[in-house]
Amino acid sequence: MKKLLTTLCALMPLFGIAQAQEFTPEQLEQVKNVREQALKSNLSWQLLESLTTEVGPRMPGSENDKKAVKWAQQQFKTLGFDKVWTEPATFPHWRRHHEAGSIVTPSKQPLRLTALGNSVGTPAQGITAPVVMFNTFDELIAAPKNSLEDKIAFVNYRMKRHIDGNGYGPAVRARRSGAVEAAKKGAIGYMMRSVSTGHHRFAHTGASGYQAGISKIPNTAISNPDADQLERLINGGHEVAVNMNIQTEDLGEGTSYNVIGEITGSQFPEQYVLIGGHLDSWDLGTGALDDGAGVALTMAAAKHISEIAQPKRSIRVVLFAAEELGLWGAKAYFKRHAEQLDNIVAAAESDFGADVVYAFESNVAANALPVVKAIAQQLAPLNIEYVNANNAHGGPDLIPLNQVTNAPIFALHQNGTDYFDYHHTADDTLDKVDPRKLKQNTAAYAVFAIMAANAKTKLTGKGK
Amino acid sequence: MKKLLTTLCALMPLFGIAQAQEFTPEQLEQVKNVREQALKSNLSWQLLESLTTEVGPRMPGSENDKKAVKWAQQQFKTLGFDKVWTEPATFPHWRRHHEAGSIVTPSKQPLRLTALGNSVGTPAQGITAPVVMFNTFDELIAAPKNSLEDKIAFVNYRMKRHIDGNGYGPAVRARRSGAVEAAKKGAIGYMMRSVSTGHHRFAHTGASGYQAGISKIPNTAISNPDADQLERLINGGHEVAVNMNIQTEDLGEGTSYNVIGEITGSQFPEQYVLIGGHLDSWDLGTGALDDGAGVALTMAAAKHISEIAQPKRSIRVVLFAAEELGLWGAKAYFKRHAEQLDNIVAAAESDFGADVVYAFESNVAANALPVVKAIAQQLAPLNIEYVNANNAHGGPDLIPLNQVTNAPIFALHQNGTDYFDYHHTADDTLDKVDPRKLKQNTAAYAVFAIMAANAKTKLTGKGK
């Protein structure tokens, strides 16, 4: 009998040992309960439905953005969070008024285009000019000086589809600074194939910028089918001219608010697990995938934890402001809390839609890895794989945190295969979210957050 | 040996007997060759790509419509059709200039709407009014008199998805005369959930009408996600007001042209198989599925026949004008040829997209059924099932023919499961057509047309 027990102990996986060292049986029972509760509950869906329906699009600085801030405070209070507060963030306030486009030569055809964020407008009748096509952004960069005078530059690069969205980086360069490079060559307008994996006729907006000393030219993206059409016409030997008409407004500095709700810890209340998403959205859709889902599921995850038991450390849900225009809420948050960043024992942002979480990854100091593995074991019943690389990058709103310190960052990787079909389009609406998948996401965040909050070992990052 | 032969003959299926009676072995070899040639050739795709790219949208009466008429004549000539000509058709010329919509209460949100064909416009600033929702068109009809004064009526009926598109009929009632019924109750605007099975944010346009003596009110459709949003707000107890702004123009009587290409028969040139589609399209997309595909595949099918051998009877490809606004080209065609309708030995229109043809059905006199079965046998290698009901309805442009006589009508049923995801939207573009499926369609029409043209028995309809 003794021999049998010894053998059993030898066979006990490392995970089991870590669990036993870091968590009491009662705490592990709580994890199971919170997971099951999150999988059963409709709360995250109800929050998402309410935000996207009653508020709708939430462009930073808009009336709806103000409504969203009130909505979030009210919801946190209704859900019984211990502390609810806001913190201001400023950002460059930009607004889209009107957009339209057409091919005018060789045949009159509408173009589905959208102004990129921060773009200047055109004159009232738009600008009409011949199009010069580049297959990649680098081809545009390599174009001779003055070669685009009185032309509209068109970058026709196609984003690649991938489960982790790794096609985004190579594609987004042409959005962030395409208009700058085009203007350097003398172009009077810029148009790009959307940063998109979709095959529907939606143009994808997104942040873009200008450079001091370089002419600001109107900056647009067209849908994939429209880009296909331009490509066919140009490759067919036609001279193609287009009209782009965008009316936009630069409203100077705007102010919005990070909205924060906290479930206060019983033992180390100043230490906290940071989860959240961003409350703002682009104006075209209703921001269901980007990032209503992240808002709703992290709020719900913390609520489910509070229903089971008060955690040892606090759970802080931060709903960041003005992410889309340049992470302005996140910059303000981490600047404001710069002296207390060590209080963050774990941070994870959900900002990649609402498809299933398929993998879990950490970025922590070595002594924290047993806790990570214990969390991974409790995520496994949700069909989440453990990525044993300890090199996670967090969501975009954690970038300003990463820039000052290597904090204990976690990634709950969502399946992003379809995410860029909808990202930043009019088609980012509630019906694109699968309620069952949203529950799985909610459960994953709840399991992660309760365990990071309750672990015996305080989690820390790798540091600078 | 004799006994064996007798047994074999007894076992020979009816189809084989019909084939042998109606077609020579050489003719059956031609059928096989034309089928194989159509499955190999890119011709139908090339025609579709050219029409949708170089011409684009083809709204009746537009400059592009004129271009399409020239394009079709030129293509027929280039392909070596024996006769190419046009026949005029008049129609009520209508044009869309601008459309926009928004929810204004309880929260400002854009609405993706489109003006229905023939709709009057709104004042320049649009009309803003509270919305009254009806779950079905019949609920609107049942509403009390004057109950909609100063309101916008919203019919929220959801079209059903079906392989044969049978959800269209029940749904389209609310499009054809919704504005009339709403105006009868005092409404100042009409808005309907699109006749759509899609879940993307496209509004579906389509023909609509007014009634003498009833006020003409602006007439619009919104996308399914937008209708969902209105429904959630209204069912959530909110008072909802919307703004609809459509700028349209009634240009009086317009003229366009049916374009006709014929492969002349060797033995009975005056008798002909009529195949075709409609050359016009709505203005929002490029009319790839509706009905560039029908145009391209019937042109290509006739061309492939002409490459194999001159048929006994003529093959006439009719590209009808102004179908979308009310079958005006078809009405003109069958009126003009009213005295020679007996020359039509078979008629089939392709106007249901470009998914695979999965079934074949006739509507002919009893003595023509052996030929029908022989055709079915040669369609079987294309995975096309024979529907032994002899009750086919043709495409929409054959309706005016059916109204005067029971002509020999055929249906090559396309899989329409997804057709109403794209129908009459901006998203009806070339990328929605699968080149391999288009080839199968082309082969099916080629096999059908060559056999109907060469059969020993002249096919006739059931008559009046």
Side-chain angles (χ1 to χ4, degrees):
Chain A
M1 185 66 180
K2 193 179 171 195
K3 193 180 172 198
L4 180 62
L5 274 177
T6 311
T7 307
L8 274 177
C9 288
L11 290 172
M12 188 183 279
L14 172 65
F15 287 5
I17 293 170
Q19 285 211 146
Q21 287 173 339
E22 290 286 345
F23 301 97
T24 66
E26 189 192 0
Q27 285 175 327
L28 291 175
E29 186 67 16
Q30 289 168 358
V31 173
K32 180 169 167 275
N33 290 342
V34 81
R35 189 174 59 219
E36 287 175 3
Q37 174 59 16
L39 286 176
K40 268 192 302 207
S41 170
N42 285 318
L43 179 59
S44 50
W45 178 263
Q46 287 161 356
L47 291 167
L48 178 60
E49 179 173 351
S50 171
L51 177 62
T52 57
T53 304
E54 288 156 29
V55 181
R58 305 171 295 283
M59 190 70 177
S62 66
E63 279 306 304
N64 283 11
D65 185 39
K66 294 184 179 71
K67 282 191 185 184
V69 168
K70 281 190 192 158
W71 175 92
Q73 291 174 273
Q74 187 55 54
Q75 294 292 346
F76 275 135
K77 286 174 188 163
T78 303
L79 294 172
F81 279 65
D82 299 309
K83 293 181 201 143
V84 181
W85 72 101
T86 62
E87 298 176 357
T90 58
F91 56 89
H93 189 182
W94 177 88
R95 194 184 293 174
R96 176 194 329 272
H97 290 295
H98 171 76
E99 53 196 24
S102 57
I103 299 173
V104 294
T105 308
S107 168
K108 176 91 174 156
Q109 310 190 28
L111 273 180
R112 290 271 167 153
L113 62 72
T114 191
L116 294 175
N118 199 35
S119 176
V120 297
T122 61
Q125 293 308 309
I127 54 173
T128 299
V131 172
V132 180
M133 181 172 78
F134 301 92
N135 288 315
T136 65
F137 184 47
D138 288 329
E139 278 187 18
L140 168 62
I141 293 172
K145 273 192 183 174
N146 305 322
S147 62
L148 298 178
E149 278 183 8
D150 299 324
K151 301 287 201 303
I152 291 171
F154 166 50
V155 171
N156 190 34
Y157 178 82
R158 290 165 196 271
M159 180 183 171
K160 307 291 187 296
R161 187 186 291 279
H162 197 276
I163 190 171
D164 71 3
N166 69 27
Y168 190 62
V172 84
R173 295 169 61 218
R175 194 188 77 204
R176 294 220 175 99
S177 44
V180 172
E181 296 301 325
K184 284 181 186 170
K185 321 293 182 181
I188 58 170
Y190 179 71
M191 187 174 269
M192 66 180 290
R193 182 186 282 270
S194 286
V195 177
S196 168
T197 52
H199 70 288
H200 295 291
R201 211 154 167 214
F202 296 107
H204 296 234
T205 191
S208 68
Y210 294 113
Q211 194 172 303
I214 307 293
S215 170
K216 295 182 178 184
I217 61 174
N219 199 356
T220 63
I222 59 176
S223 81
N224 269 329
D226 287 273
D228 294 345
Q229 186 82 329
L230 278 187
E231 182 183 45
R232 278 192 298 268
L233 285 167
I234 292 168
N235 287 344
H238 295 279
E239 296 282 331
V240 176
V242 304
N243 175 272
M244 55 162 76
N245 185 334
I246 57 175
Q247 305 303 322
T248 64
E249 192 175 3
D250 175 352
L251 291 155
E253 186 177 270
T255 301
S256 187
Y257 296 87
N258 296 321
V259 185
I260 303 159
E262 191 168 278
I263 306 295
T264 305
S266 58
Q267 213 169 324
F268 308 107
E270 76 290 356
Q271 296 176 17
Y272 64 95
V273 177
L274 190 167
I275 57 176
H278 63 84
L279 190 55
D280 65 307
S281 79
W282 283 103
D283 48 345
L284 301 173
T286 61
L289 293 167
D290 185 14
D291 181 29
V295 166
L297 74 92
T298 55
M299 291 175 89
K303 166 66 177 169
H304 293 314
I305 292 170
S306 76
E307 287 167 337
I308 300 293
Q310 189 180 15
K312 271 169 60 177
R313 301 182 185 85
S314 298
I315 314 278
R316 187 180 289 189
V317 180
V318 183
L319 307 180
F320 295 99
E323 188 270 351
E324 295 294 5
L325 297 177
L327 316 178
W328 296 98
K331 288 173 190 168
Y333 181 88
F334 292 109
K335 188 174 174 191
R336 188 182 185 105
H337 299 274
E339 303 304 314
Q340 304 95 35
L341 296 181
D342 286 348
N343 283 335
I344 301 174
V345 301
E349 184 188 27
S350 173
D351 183 20
F352 200 50
D355 209 331
V356 288
V357 175
Y358 69 97
F360 172 66
E361 188 178 0
S362 66
N363 191 335
V364 296
N367 76 324
L369 285 173
V371 178
V372 171
K373 289 171 183 174
I375 297 173
Q377 193 177 9
Q378 293 296 332
L379 290 172
L382 298 169
N383 285 323
I384 297 170
E385 182 188 9
Y386 173 50
V387 179
N388 190 4
N390 199 34
N391 194 31
H393 302 279
D397 287 306
L398 301 182
I399 293 173
L401 171 61
N402 284 327
Q403 283 168 344
V404 290
T405 182
N406 284 311
I409 297 284
F410 291 82
L412 291 98
H413 293 291
Q414 285 147 319
N415 179 345
T417 307
D418 299 334
Y419 183 62
F420 292 103
D421 291 7
Y422 302 108
H423 182 247
H424 296 184
T425 71
D427 208 26
D428 178 3
T429 50
L430 181 63
D431 53 298
K432 309 310 181 303
V433 177
D434 180 333
R436 292 166 309 156
K437 293 179 177 178
L438 188 65
K439 287 179 183 177
Q440 188 258 14
N441 275 258
T442 308
Y445 270 82
V447 165
F448 155 73
I450 193 173
M451 292 184 79
N454 284 342
K456 192 167 170 192
T457 302
K458 182 195 172 197
L459 300 180
T460 54
K462 293 173 186 167
K464 269 293 175 199
Chain B
M1 185 67 181
K2 194 178 166 194
K3 192 178 173 201
L4 179 62
L5 275 176
T6 310
T7 308
L8 273 178
C9 287
L11 289 172
M12 187 185 278
L14 173 64
F15 287 4
I17 292 169
Q19 286 210 146
Q21 286 171 339
E22 291 286 342
F23 300 96
T24 66
E26 190 193 355
Q27 285 175 327
L28 291 174
E29 185 66 19
Q30 289 167 359
V31 172
K32 180 169 167 275
N33 289 342
V34 82
R35 187 175 61 220
E36 287 176 2
Q37 174 59 16
L39 286 176
K40 269 192 300 206
S41 169
N42 285 317
L43 179 61
S44 50
W45 178 264
Q46 286 161 358
L47 290 167
L48 179 60
E49 178 173 352
S50 171
L51 177 62
T52 57
T53 304
E54 289 156 29
V55 180
R58 304 171 296 282
M59 189 71 177
S62 66
E63 280 305 306
N64 283 10
D65 186 38
K66 293 184 180 69
K67 282 190 186 185
V69 168
K70 280 189 193 158
W71 175 92
Q73 290 175 271
Q74 186 56 54
Q75 294 291 346
F76 275 136
K77 286 174 187 163
T78 303
L79 294 172
F81 278 65
D82 299 308
K83 293 181 201 145
V84 181
W85 73 99
T86 62
E87 297 176 358
T90 59
F91 57 88
H93 189 183
W94 177 87
R95 195 185 291 175
R96 175 193 330 271
H97 291 295
H98 170 77
E99 51 196 26
S102 57
I103 299 172
V104 294
T105 307
S107 169
K108 174 92 175 157
Q109 311 189 28
L111 272 180
R112 291 269 168 155
L113 62 72
T114 192
L116 295 174
N118 199 36
S119 175
V120 297
T122 62
Q125 293 309 309
I127 55 175
T128 299
V131 172
V132 180
M133 182 171 77
F134 300 92
N135 288 316
T136 64
F137 183 48
D138 289 329
E139 277 188 19
L140 168 62
I141 293 172
K145 273 190 186 179
N146 305 322
S147 62
L148 297 178
E149 277 183 9
D150 299 323
K151 301 286 201 302
I152 290 172
F154 165 49
V155 171
N156 190 34
Y157 178 81
R158 291 166 195 270
M159 180 183 171
K160 307 291 187 296
R161 188 186 291 279
H162 196 277
I163 190 172
D164 71 3
N166 70 28
Y168 189 63
V172 83
R173 295 169 60 217
R175 193 188 80 204
R176 294 222 175 98
S177 43
V180 172
E181 295 302 325
K184 284 181 186 170
K185 321 292 183 182
I188 58 170
Y190 179 70
M191 186 174 268
M192 64 180 290
R193 181 185 283 270
S194 286
V195 178
S196 170
T197 51
H199 69 290
H200 296 291
R201 211 154 166 214
F202 296 107
H204 298 234
T205 191
S208 70
Y210 293 114
Q211 194 172 303
I214 307 293
S215 171
K216 294 181 177 185
I217 62 174
N219 198 356
T220 64
I222 59 177
S223 81
N224 268 327
D226 287 272
D228 294 345
Q229 186 82 329
L230 278 187
E231 181 183 45
R232 278 191 298 267
L233 284 167
I234 292 167
N235 287 344
H238 295 279
E239 296 282 330
V240 177
V242 304
N243 174 272
M244 57 162 76
N245 185 334
I246 56 175
Q247 304 304 321
T248 62
E249 192 176 2
D250 175 351
L251 291 155
E253 186 177 88
T255 302
S256 187
Y257 297 87
N258 297 320
V259 185
I260 303 159
E262 189 168 280
I263 307 294
T264 305
S266 58
Q267 213 170 324
F268 308 107
E270 76 290 356
Q271 296 177 18
Y272 64 95
V273 177
L274 190 166
I275 56 176
H278 63 83
L279 190 55
D280 64 307
S281 79
W282 283 102
D283 48 345
L284 300 174
T286 61
L289 292 167
D290 186 12
D291 181 27
V295 166
L297 74 91
T298 54
M299 290 174 91
K303 166 66 176 169
H304 293 314
I305 292 171
S306 76
E307 287 166 339
I308 299 293
Q310 189 181 14
K312 269 168 62 178
R313 300 182 185 83
S314 298
I315 313 277
R316 187 179 288 188
V317 180
V318 182
L319 307 180
F320 295 99
E323 188 270 349
E324 295 295 5
L325 296 176
L327 317 179
W328 295 98
K331 288 174 190 167
Y333 181 88
F334 293 109
K335 188 173 174 194
R336 187 183 186 105
H337 298 274
E339 303 304 315
Q340 303 94 35
L341 295 181
D342 285 348
N343 283 334
I344 301 175
V345 300
E349 184 189 26
S350 173
D351 184 20
F352 200 49
D355 209 330
V356 287
V357 175
Y358 70 96
F360 172 66
E361 188 177 1
S362 65
N363 193 333
V364 296
N367 75 322
L369 284 173
V371 179
V372 170
K373 289 171 182 174
I375 296 173
Q377 190 176 12
Q378 293 296 331
L379 290 172
L382 298 169
N383 286 323
I384 298 171
E385 182 188 10
Y386 173 51
V387 180
N388 190 3
N390 199 32
N391 195 30
H393 303 279
D397 286 306
L398 300 184
I399 293 173
L401 171 61
N402 285 327
Q403 284 170 342
V404 290
T405 182
N406 284 311
I409 297 282
F410 290 82
L412 290 98
H413 293 291
Q414 286 148 320
N415 179 344
T417 307
D418 299 334
Y419 183 63
F420 293 102
D421 291 8
Y422 303 108
H423 183 246
H424 296 184
T425 71
D427 209 25
D428 178 2
T429 50
L430 181 62
D431 52 298
K432 308 309 180 303
V433 176
D434 181 331
R436 293 165 309 158
K437 294 179 177 177
L438 188 64
K439 287 179 184 179
Q440 189 257 11
N441 275 257
T442 307
Y445 269 83
V447 165
F448 155 71
I450 193 173
M451 293 184 79
N454 284 342
K456 192 167 168 189
T457 302
K458 182 195 172 197
L459 300 179
T460 54
K462 293 174 186 166
K464 269 294 175 198

